[in-house]
Amino acid sequence: MELLRINLEQYELPKFWYNITADLPNKLAPALDIHGNPASLDDMAKIFPHTILEQEVATARYVEIPEEVRRIYAQWRPIPLCRAHRLEEILETPAKIYYKYEGMSAAGSHKPNSAIPQAYYNKLAGVKRLTTETGAGQWGASISYAGQMFGLPVRVYMVRVSYDQKVFRRSTMTAWGSEVIASPSELTKAGRDALAADKNCRGSLGLAISEAVEDAINDPNTCYTLGSVMNHVCMHQTVMGLECKKQLAKIDEYPDIVIGACGGGSSFSGIAFPFLGDKLYDEPKAKNLRCIAVEPTSCPSLTKGVFTYDFGDASGYTPLMKMYTLGHDFMPPGIHAGGLRYHGCSPIIAQLYNDKMIEAVAVPQLATFDAGVQFARAEGIIPAPESCHAIRVAIDEALKCKQSGEAKTILFCLTGHGHFDMLSYERYFSGELENYDYPQEAVQKSLEHLPKIEK
Amino acid sequence: MELLRINLEQYELPKFWYNITADLPNKLAPALDIHGNPASLDDMAKIFPHTILEQEVATARYVEIPEEVRRIYAQWRPIPLCRAHRLEEILETPAKIYYKYEGMSAAGSHKPNSAIPQAYYNKLAGVKRLTTETGAGQWGASISYAGQMFGLPVRVYMVRVSYDQKVFRRSTMTAWGSEVIASPSELTKAGRDALAADKNCRGSLGLAISEAVEDAINDPNTCYTLGSVMNHVCMHQTVMGLECKKQLAKIDEYPDIVIGACGGGSSFSGIAFPFLGDKLYDEPKAKNLRCIAVEPTSCPSLTKGVFTYDFGDASGYTPLMKMYTLGHDFMPPGIHAGGLRYHGCSPIIAQLYNDKMIEAVAVPQLATFDAGVQFARAEGIIPAPESCHAIRVAIDEALKCKQSGEAKTILFCLTGHGHFDMLSYERYFSGELENYDYPQEAVQKSLEHLPKIEK
């Protein structure tokens, strides 16, 4: 039998995360306040513990993964690297397609890779309680699991419309002991104001962030957590790519192409950065490596956005970060890959893209579901809608190899299973799912609201 | 770090299933027709191909797993054996608790272990199409996945009430290319009769079986598939226990107690039989081995049923099988572990229980969810309601060890994740979930309807 799975033993679980900021050809532009001054760490310290902030500004190439974190990682990691042999046969491609399936975590996605260390570092700093916001529920579920592992109570502000509709996700958070609050709530000023203006307010991600941040600011024992975009999140996720490197090395393979879906950028960073690091370090084997970030046509921050300073959140609470953005108040169409509906991206990814170290491609919704179903019928696993974006491009690249006759090695990140997303598949099969064009006018409008730095 | 996961490499995937019928101290009573004659294989051959029937009556101790099946198994197998170290700490038990987590399959449960070979053997026999019935959807999803892997179209008759309510499960079957029909349907006489009697008929599992069987009988190119009870299904599932044996041997461990939930008996057979085989073979290490089948208080076929001949299905289509039964027309209360709502059990399990080679215990619904939540908060994974039954008894046995100070080795089968069952957890957390007593009167009534063998 051909080799379909490459394992790692528990002792081969990576002991260090890879911090790509140490190897960037051009350093990251600093976060700024609205006056154009470097954002103060004191402001950040109101919502993050010093242990997390130290990771956010770390300069070492490798940062040790604490033993306590590795003990929880070992509940589901290392994850086998799988070869999509049946898919290759069906596509009649000479390409070799490998994937890392992160749906094996308890939360069913890659998000616990950062949730676990975030809970650990908060605990280490003496924090007593965590807050976060959640839309579709992926991050809320993961930080609930992580909080439970370190005995930290978690309060999740869940957008009211999701709270009512996505009962399954809400129940996973409750199962891990979290308090799930429909946002807007009476617990914060932001919530009360919204309810005073409209007592039937259905909420928004921006508003839920406001509530979670306000809650953390008002209680000195409480900190806020975020599941993407920030440097430390991207670094934690590199455990995925570092495992892949060890696994491919075992069979003397190295990828020609690494592919990840890209919203805020946590999964793309995690799978791609450890390989990209080889390229930045001028390792010969990585000379021709291509790393492709895949985004939705309807929310194409890298391929259509502007490289400039903008807020990280819709409401303007965060410092200004230099990134590719569609404007912080851009509201993307309601595609089913909720995790990719973000107006900007990680500043690290933005810098790398601007420096032409990585590529980006935007794909329409229906084509991603086509790819997801083709994958499910070849390899079994039904992928999350976000993962379908990476699969789409993996298949497209494999088909190019079929044309050219090249036996390239393709690696992609399968971020999670689609078992919570079957309603999206149902709509796809019933023909109700639509493609959305690039919403040019809405983007132009929101780009007019980019923050004006005062100095 | 203590060892939390024991891997197997792909080449260590078992090459043979274990057929416990070769080692039974008392042979199985033959299946009979209503006249008391041995059931004719010709009748069975109307719905099963000869390749499956050969497995059903196999006498060899070990039956080779075809390479084609192992290639699909390798999409998710071998599955690591995990140690529930955090759970042990929380319970403060000296016991060592190991579990096999079958939620890693594409279908999220252990059912593909038999669905894959069943699809393969049907294909081998030249069958062109498969039918089956499904209630909650676990088996329907697994045979859909399996049919897709071998290019066999599958028609699933899904009980109307589940078809309407369990849209998520239905969509997984569609994703794998199956035709899902709400039962009763216009496609069969059984369905048409039911609709003629009541055009709003919501269906039942018995009726869906009737439709699937009728469909298979009427089309010479179509065969029927079943996900539990039968000998060949129990044999296919032994791949789980055989992996566990190899994994425990690597760390020089052997279980004192093996635990599995038991409805029809497929998962219990799969985890327990390979170890029980050692005991039947008088291997010294297995001398004190205990295998415990766990059933719901509300559907306690082993602990409260009668060891006698009964139909395998509610409608009386199957041959008579000797088993522990609550009566084939017993309708268990609506517990959330739908996979355990079966009036009988595998004849092999029945024989072993009658011969006191295995134990059985019945547990109430709320206690199983208590255990499932305790497990989720310790080990991360949110278990399926069926799996919670095994967890309940694993925890109870670990707590007995705490009392006695014994460091026993406990192994249980975690049959699947609960991501499709979060509504059940939601009801548990909201206090809506109830315990059901043993429905003594209903059982007495249905036992009056046991088939009378005419000779």
Side-chain angles (χ1 to χ4, degrees), chain A residues 1-10 13 67 70-80 82 85-86 89 99 101 103-108 145 148-151 167-178 250 373 376-382 417 419-423 425-426 429, chain B residues 1-10 13 67 70-80 82 85-86 89 99 101 103-108 145 148-151 167-178 250 373 376-382 417 419-423 425-426 429:
Chain A
M1 188 175 9
E2 53 288 297
L3 192 64
L4 302 178
R5 298 160 69 77
I6 304 121
N7 282 335
L8 292 178
E9 296 300 325
Q10 181 178 312
L13 185 63
E67 180 75 0
R70 294 175 75 244
R71 275 193 76 193
I72 308 297
Y73 274 174
Q75 288 186 340
W76 78 100
R77 308 203 74 90
I79 289 176
C82 294
H85 214 285
R86 280 192 89 241
E89 285 176 0
Y99 63 93
Y101 175 43
M104 289 187 177
S105 80
Y145 162 40
Q148 180 62 239
M149 292 302 116
F150 291 102
V167 178
F168 283 21
R169 287 276 196 196
R170 168 156 57 97
S171 309
T172 61
M173 298 180 235
T174 315
W176 284 310
S178 280
K250 284 194 178 197
V373 170
R377 292 182 180 180
E379 299 295 320
I381 298 161
I382 300 175
H417 69 59
H419 295 176
F420 288 117
D421 305 282
M422 294 315 300
L423 221 54
Y425 279 92
E426 185 63 19
F429 288 118
Chain B
M1 189 176 4
E2 54 287 301
L3 193 63
L4 301 179
R5 297 161 68 78
I6 304 121
N7 282 336
L8 291 178
E9 295 300 323
Q10 181 178 313
L13 186 63
E67 181 76 1
R70 295 175 74 244
R71 274 193 78 194
I72 308 296
Y73 274 175
Q75 287 186 342
W76 80 100
R77 307 204 75 90
I79 290 176
C82 294
H85 214 284
R86 279 193 90 239
E89 284 175 1
Y99 62 93
Y101 175 43
M104 288 186 176
S105 80
Y145 161 42
Q148 180 63 240
M149 292 304 116
F150 291 101
V167 178
F168 283 22
R169 287 276 196 195
R170 168 156 56 100
S171 309
T172 61
M173 298 180 233
T174 316
W176 285 309
S178 281
K250 285 194 179 199
V373 169
R377 292 183 180 179
E379 298 296 320
I381 299 160
I382 300 175
H417 68 60
H419 295 175
F420 288 118
D421 305 283
M422 295 315 300
L423 222 52
Y425 280 92
E426 186 63 19
F429 287 120

Side-chain angles (χ1 to χ4, degrees), chain B residues 11-68:
Chain B
Y11 67 83
E12 294 172 293
L13 186 63
K15 292 191 172 62
F16 293 85
W17 292 297
Y18 171 56
N19 175 21
I20 200 169
T21 61
D23 291 329
L24 291 178
N26 290 300
K27 293 300 161 196
L28 290 181
L32 300 179
D33 66 20
I34 196 70
H35 308 294
N37 301 315
S40 138
L41 275 185
D42 290 351
D43 282 346
M44 302 280 277
K46 290 178 189 159
I47 55 171
F48 295 112
H50 67 93
T51 45
I52 289 286
L53 292 176
E54 283 158 16
Q55 295 217 320
E56 185 64 13
V57 299
T59 54
R61 293 192 82 204
Y62 290 98
V63 173
E64 191 167 4
I65 306 178
E67 181 76 1
E68 292 85 345

Side-chain angles (χ1 to χ4, degrees), chain A residues 145-287:
Chain A
Y145 162 40
Q148 180 62 239
M149 292 302 116
F150 291 102
L152 271 177
V154 177
R155 180 181 283 171
V156 182
Y157 290 89
M158 186 170 192
V159 179
R160 161 68 73 180
V161 56
S162 298
Y163 183 92
D164 291 338
Q165 282 174 2
K166 308 216 168 193
V167 178
F168 283 21
R169 287 276 196 196
R170 168 156 57 97
S171 309
T172 61
M173 298 180 235
T174 315
W176 284 310
S178 280
E179 183 187 10
V180 187
I181 307 285
S183 167
S185 75
E186 294 286 349
L187 298 175
T188 67
K189 183 174 180 306
R192 288 188 295 271
D193 287 352
L195 288 171
D198 172 8
K199 73 177 166 46
N200 297 316
C201 176
R202 301 179 77 206
S204 70
L205 201 55
L207 185 52
I209 294 175
S210 309
E211 290 203 79
V213 167
E214 183 186 325
D215 188 332
I217 289 174
N218 287 344
D219 179 352
N221 291 316
T222 296
C223 278
Y224 170 74
T225 63
L226 195 69
S228 191
V229 182
M230 294 182 78
N231 298 351
H232 65 280
V233 180
C234 296
M235 182 179 78
H236 296 155
Q237 291 292 351
T238 61
V239 68
M240 299 191 289
L242 291 163
E243 284 183 9
C244 291
K245 274 182 89 163
K246 288 190 185 193
Q247 287 161 318
L248 287 171
K250 284 194 178 197
I251 51 169
D252 211 17
E253 280 270 28
Y254 196 85
D256 298 295
I257 306 173
V258 180
I259 300 166
C262 191
S266 72
S267 79
F268 174 76
S269 304
I271 193 90
F273 284 0
F275 295 99
L276 199 57
D278 291 342
K279 188 166 179 168
L280 298 176
Y281 229 63
D282 286 328
E283 292 215 25
K285 63 185 171 191
K287 195 176 166 219

Side-chain angles (χ1 to χ4, degrees), chain B residues 15 63 90 117 127 129 135 180-181 205 251 276 317 334 343 356 377 381 402-403 441 452:
Chain B
K15 292 191 172 62
V63 173
I90 289 165
V127 173
R129 192 171 66 97
V180 187
I181 307 287
L205 202 56
I251 52 169
L276 199 57
Y317 280 93
H343 69 275
K356 302 198 174 5
R377 292 183 180 179
I381 299 160
K402 183 178 177 177
Q403 293 298 321
E441 280 183 33
K452 311 268 183 297

Side-chain angles (χ1 to χ4, degrees), chain B residues 20 51 56 90 160 185 224 226 235 308 335 386 404 451:
Chain B
I20 200 169
T51 45
E56 185 64 13
I90 289 165
R160 162 67 72 182
S185 76
Y224 170 74
L226 195 68
M235 183 179 76
T308 187
I335 58 166
E386 290 84 0
S404 68

